[in-house]
Amino acid sequence: MNGKIEVAVVGGGPAGCTLAALLALRGIRTLVFDDDKRPELLVGESLLPRVVQLMRRLGIEDRVKEFAQFKPGVGFISRDSSRLDFFFPQKALKGMPNYAYNIPRPEYDNLLRTRAEELGVTFVKRRAQLERGTDGREIQLTAECLASVPELGGQHPKLLVDSTGRARSFARVLDIGAKRGSRNDIAYFAHFENFDVEAMREGQVVITTLNHGWSWRIPLPGRLSVGVVVDKASLQGHGSTPEERLESIIDSEPLLSPAGKGRRRVTPVMTYTNYQLISDRGHGPGWVSTGDAFGFVDPMLSPGLFMAMHSADLIDQHAFSQGAGILDQPAKLAKAFDKVFVELLDWHEAWAEIIEYFYDGRMYALHSAGAQLSEKYGEAALPRMMERHLTTQITRLLSGVATRSRYGRGLLKLSLKHLVWDVEPAEVYAIRG
């Protein structure tokens, strides 16, 4: 690496640490501002197969295995107890890992930071102070901040990266707007011992449609992460504190209460406001945003941590595969970042589209229609071939391997329109507020 720090990342979460590590692998000196303040629990404890590829590139998969739970797939249980299981078969993923991991977030986030440090990334334990920029920069570190970090040698980095998550620090300084999604729920979650894991199959995550809202159950080593996502209007009668509300909802839901009968909570209850947001702009002269600082989607299907790390990977691939010299070519760098955010917007659209099929009940209705088809035609060759092909495409969409696939998305949309019979998704399967 050369001696001068050229890139400064504001925020030491998964997106920032991943990008810093990838830049270090290219010999680009990077500094990360990280105040090291994190809650005990964070949403995003379940990963997708595509993340495993990036772990391997960073050289951390063997270390992740030491504290993670193997994840073979995900199961969905509707209010009528019908179940959809999606595993990650090698054939469907075409060379991608056919598994993922469920991870305790503090350990995983700390490992990403440790790996970045091992690769030569500099970390400073402080918040970055920002202001509108000068000298061709749209945003910059304040003079006071610059002077307080001796590692910078008084020289402003050529590029600032916003990895501040939902705080969206750069967007706030620059008054960059955002588009919000239609849902505005609230989630309560904690870790439990003695919560029956019979519904899990060798580490499989289970998503359950409740009488109101939905829940996740994520198996972790020695414990289970349990969360409920509900409309705020449905909280009446469930107490006034996060602890009371989570416990009350578990006890009141027929598909959760039997499994949680002997549970013991071993962490505080965390509150997460579940809304969806995408910034109007993700880069400008002298800066770029990553992960949640640009946009975030609903936690169902576990896309959040994948999108954080993948956004860093896209920045690295599109811009820095051309070498560090691109930092001295503003027009070329802007063009590369344009490509990044065209892809990211398509990712957000694809995830939102698939997640909506679960919220409005159409995915469950399609499964019900498939069961009726099997009952009618048995093992007839053509219906079975259709069912297997559609299941393969859905698995590829849900795994992050081919979520943006035009063919897969088109086939699913066509199937939802023409193969759902004798059932009204909204009445039977939709997630209610």
Side-chain angles (χ1 to χ4, degrees), residues 56-82:
R56 293 173 180 175
R57 186 174 166 196
L58 294 173
I60 62 171
E61 186 185 1
D62 286 344
R63 283 189 268 182
V64 171
K65 286 180 184 178
E66 294 175 3
F67 59 75
Q69 167 68 54
F70 181 84
K71 174 187 173 182
V74 58
F76 298 87
I77 302 176
S78 68
R79 272 189 304 276
D80 66 355
S81 298
S82 61

Side-chain angles (χ1 to χ4, degrees), residues 7 20 41 72 80 129 131 146 164 185 246 299 306 349 360 417-418:
V7 177
L41 300 182
D80 66 355
Q129 280 76 48
E131 63 185 7
L146 191 62
T164 59
D185 302 323
L246 177 60
F306 162 73
E349 180 182 329
D360 66 19
K417 183 177 181 180
H418 296 291

Side-chain angles (χ1 to χ4, degrees), residues 221-238:
R223 56 183 57 187
L224 189 71
S225 173
V226 181
V228 297
V229 182
V230 296
D231 187 278
K232 295 173 184 177
S234 67
L235 291 173
Q236 187 173 357
H238 287 296

Side-chain angles (χ1 to χ4, degrees), residues 123-273:
F123 282 77
V124 292
K125 189 176 179 180
R126 62 158 295 159
R127 288 176 177 262
Q129 280 76 48
L130 303 162
E131 63 185 7
R132 288 181 177 267
T134 57
D135 300 325
R137 291 186 292 265
E138 192 173 10
I139 193 169
Q140 63 189 20
L141 303 173
T142 64
E144 178 186 358
C145 182
L146 191 62
S148 70
V149 183
E151 292 89 345
L152 292 173
Q155 294 185 307
H156 199 283
K158 295 177 181 177
L159 180 70
L160 292 180
V161 180
D162 187 356
S163 182
T164 59
R166 289 185 171 207
R168 299 176 64 242
S169 296
F170 289 24
R172 294 180 187 278
V173 172
L174 298 174
D175 295 323
I176 295 173
K179 297 178 180 65
R180 286 184 63 135
S182 59
R183 284 183 296 278
N184 190 20
D185 302 323
I186 192 163
Y188 299 106
F189 67 106
H191 289 178
F192 293 87
E193 292 178 347
N194 303 326
F195 207 109
D196 188 1
V197 295
E198 185 178 349
M200 283 83 225
R201 297 173 183 177
E202 299 179 355
Q204 186 188 37
V205 170
V206 170
I207 305 295
T208 305
T209 303
L210 306 177
N211 285 326
H212 295 283
W214 61 277
S215 74
W216 73 71
R217 280 175 277 176
I218 302 173
L220 298 166
R223 56 183 57 187
L224 189 71
S225 173
V226 181
V228 297
V229 182
V230 296
D231 187 278
K232 295 173 184 177
S234 67
L235 291 173
Q236 187 173 357
H238 287 296
S240 58
T241 67
E243 292 77 14
E244 291 172 344
R245 288 170 174 175
L246 177 60
E247 300 284 1
S248 174
I249 292 170
I250 292 173
D251 287 335
S252 67
E253 289 287 347
L255 294 179
L256 285 183
S257 58
K261 187 175 180 180
R263 68 186 182 275
R264 183 172 74 89
R265 183 166 55 81
V266 294
T267 69
V269 175
M270 305 301 289
T271 302
Y272 175 88
T273 304

